């Protein structure tokens, strides 16, 4: 999946983070320094545009989330707009 990245099941993350502060200390030891979640894309305009939600968490009060509008250009998806939803 790339250097420094790996897929971790959602139930594993939830299990480790049951205790908010101590859970993050265990998370750092067992998994790493944060995680990212991505929604399934919503396509529109004949699959030329997509909307996704992405968030990253790196601690008890550390993270952000945003909606992204993507446009398909040739064989790539380009970010055309970002709407910050939250930040901590």
């Amino acid at each position: 999946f790339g250097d420094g990245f790996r897929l971790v099941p959602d139930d594993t993350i939830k299990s480790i983070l049951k205790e908010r502060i101590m859970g993050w200390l265990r998370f750092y030891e067992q998994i790493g320094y944060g995680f990212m979640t991505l929604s399934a894309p919503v396509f529109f305009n004949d699959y030329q545009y997509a909307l996704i939600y992405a968030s990253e968490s790196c601690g008890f009060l550390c993270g952000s989330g945003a909606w992204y509008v993507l446009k398909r250009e040739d064989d790539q998806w380009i970010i055309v707009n970002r709407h910050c939803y939250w930040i901590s």
Side-chain angles (χ1 to χ4, degrees):
F1 202 37
D3 290 341
F5 292 94
R6 64 182 167 145
L7 294 176
V8 178
D10 188 50
D11 59 338
T12 300
I13 294 171
K14 287 180 180 177
S15 174
I16 294 171
L17 296 179
K18 281 182 185 175
E19 296 177 45
R20 291 184 179 219
I21 296 172
M22 291 306 293
W24 273 106
L25 295 176
R26 277 195 296 281
F27 186 90
Y28 298 146
E29 291 172 358
Q30 295 176 21
I31 306 292
Y33 290 102
F35 64 93
M36 175 178 251
T37 58
L38 298 170
S39 73
V42 176
F43 297 103
F44 51 100
N45 285 5
D46 199 26
Y47 292 91
Q48 293 304 304
Y49 289 89
L51 177 69
I52 64 164
Y53 176 77
S55 68
E56 55 185 302
S57 297
C58 48
F60 180 60
L61 290 174
C62 177
S64 65
W67 292 97
Y68 290 87
V69 177
L70 307 171
K71 181 179 181 183
R72 188 175 185 163
E73 292 186 2
D74 299 319
D75 288 331
Q76 296 183 354
W77 288 97
I78 309 297
I79 297 171
V80 294
N81 209 331
R82 177 181 180 269
H83 300 279
C84 185
Y85 185 65
W86 65 274
I87 192 164
S88 173

